Amino acid sequence: MKRLWFLSFLLSAALVCSSCGSDEPENPQPTPEQPENPGGADHPDPTDPTPGENGRYLVVFASRSGNTERVAQTIRATLGCDMLEVEPSEPYEEDYNATLERAQTELDGIAEGNFPAIRTVVEDFSKYDIVFVGFPIWYNRIATPMQTFLHRHADKLAGKRMALFATSGGSGISQSASDARTLCPDAQFTENLLLTSASGGQADARIAQWLERLGASREETPEAPAGTLSLKMTVGGQTITATMEDNAAARDLMSSLPLEVTLTDYNRTEKIFYPDPALDTEGVTRGCAPVPGDITIYAPWGNVAIFYKEWPQSGSLIKIGHIDGNGIDVLGAYSGDVHVRIENNE
């Protein structure tokens, strides 16, 4: 019955999905016969992603039947970004039942700390604003090659903004998202995207809407006009920029750079630190209703406050800048304190 169901699924998926709407069967595919413990010495050489014209994003994916790969290709075509396939050391069998058996064996091995061998290793993720991670869902879990990849690269992905996308015959993504957070506990996870056989015909539109919500686009961040004050912050291996106001307080902050500070979470709304000495606010216009990304000074206390949520109008706030693009999401993803380096963006 499983074989008949699978053949029926493939036929219906091929008819419904034109480019990337079909999804991998929720019942998995094979497992390396001898799972490898990533702590061992058998590590492949680093793999170079296929480059795109927009180097801000990386799409990394695992796919056996090609469904997840079609989604990855759509994301790459939309963003013009780099892409890399995670490949098992031992290719999966064509026989579906053998695939199911191997997948279950691999999942059992992972539960005991033994991850199947893969051929894909990335040296550095630092240049990427977002890493898109795609996989089929096998028995409600992340496909095993991708689990190995995330496990091996957890340290390099710490602080990195990650967006999960998955294909499935009908299973949800919640358990897989939990797997990813366990495998990469220090990464910053965004909204997930799940494409099932039922949503195949709407796949392209859903991918485009998802990327828009994430703030991901083909265009590079425009350079600030000449003479504009601009700073950059390094947060957990990621770099975000901010355009500063042309006022005395902003110029005073810029003159004190570079700074190494710890931003403390305040009121679950803003990240704050106290410059030493206090910034010059004499004669600077006060009063603003901060929106996410605004960099301000709270005049009574003298602290710098970077808002990641909206706040009502306050006559005690002085706006001195705004974080560019969706960079505030990087800071807002940290629920507690976070260490940052602030420098001139030259």
Side-chain angles (χ1 to χ4, degrees), residues 31-333:
T31 317
E33 294 176 358
Q34 296 181 341
E36 176 213 14
N37 188 329
D42 183 23
H43 286 260
D45 293 331
T47 311
D48 292 328
T50 302
E53 64 270 23
N54 186 342
R56 296 170 56 201
Y57 310 112
L58 171 66
V59 178
V60 57
F61 71 95
S63 183
R64 177 180 178 272
S65 67
N67 297 320
T68 306
E69 181 177 5
R70 283 190 286 274
V71 180
Q73 291 283 7
T74 300
I75 295 172
R76 186 188 184 214
T78 302
L79 299 178
C81 59
D82 297 358
M83 188 169 76
L84 179 67
E85 181 176 5
V86 174
E87 300 181 68
S89 292
E90 179 185 339
Y92 288 106
E93 298 86 344
E94 293 294 329
D95 181 76
Y96 178 61
N97 289 329
T99 290
L100 295 180
E101 182 178 351
R102 180 177 163 184
Q104 186 61 70
T105 300
E106 286 185 341
L107 288 168
D108 292 343
I110 287 174
E112 296 178 357
N114 298 313
F115 289 78
I118 60 173
R119 296 188 293 186
T120 310
V121 174
V122 175
E123 186 70 28
D124 184 24
F125 296 91
S126 61
K127 74 173 185 177
Y128 298 114
D129 292 347
I130 303 177
V131 177
F132 294 90
V133 177
F135 50 86
I137 294 176
W138 294 353
Y139 294 115
N140 289 312
R141 313 302 291 266
I142 294 175
T144 51
M146 185 57 75
Q147 290 206 44
T148 298
F149 181 86
L150 295 178
H151 176 76
R152 277 189 173 177
H153 294 82
D155 290 343
K156 295 178 181 178
L157 290 167
K160 186 60 60 177
R161 194 172 179 222
M162 292 172 58
L164 306 178
F165 64 94
T167 58
S168 164
S171 297
I173 197 174
S174 59
Q175 180 59 59
S176 296
S178 178
D179 288 341
R181 287 178 168 82
T182 299
L183 291 164
C184 297
D186 297 320
Q188 305 300 321
F189 290 92
T190 67
E191 177 187 347
N192 306 321
L193 175 66
L194 174 65
L195 296 172
T196 66
S197 53
S199 61
Q202 302 172 339
D204 287 355
R206 291 191 58 203
I207 292 169
Q209 292 164 2
W210 178 59
L211 295 176
E212 183 177 358
R213 289 194 298 271
L214 295 179
S217 65
R218 180 179 287 267
E219 293 77 21
E220 297 285 354
T221 302
E223 295 184 2
T228 299
L229 297 176
S230 179
L231 59 75
K232 62 182 179 181
M233 300 182 190
T234 303
V235 188
Q238 295 178 268
T239 298
I240 60 178
T241 62
T243 301
M244 306 304 289
E245 297 287 311
D246 186 12
N247 61 36
R251 288 191 295 271
D252 196 15
L253 175 62
M254 296 295 292
S255 69
S256 69
L257 301 182
L259 291 174
E260 299 270 354
V261 300
T262 296
L263 299 180
T264 300
D265 196 80
Y266 185 77
N267 202 31
R268 297 181 180 180
T269 303
E270 58 197 278
K271 303 288 188 183
I272 70 171
F273 75 94
Y274 288 84
D276 186 17
L279 299 177
D280 178 13
T281 61
E282 186 175 354
V284 180
T285 302
R286 300 188 182 191
C288 76
V291 298
D294 277 352
I295 304 173
T296 68
I297 297 171
Y298 183 59
W301 296 352
N303 63 283
V304 171
I306 305 174
F307 284 83
Y308 59 90
K309 292 183 181 179
E310 293 184 358
W311 190 254
Q313 174 75 25
S314 171
S316 297
L317 288 173
I318 300 170
K319 183 176 178 179
I320 60 171
H322 185 85
I323 294 178
D324 301 327
N326 56 12
I328 190 58
D329 293 344
V330 176
L331 284 179

Side-chain angles (χ1 to χ4, degrees), residues 15-33:
L15 293 174
V16 171
C17 306
S18 59
S19 59
C20 59
S22 88
D23 25 289
E24 306 267 353
E26 70 176 70
N27 293 329
Q29 349 236 320
T31 317
E33 294 176 358

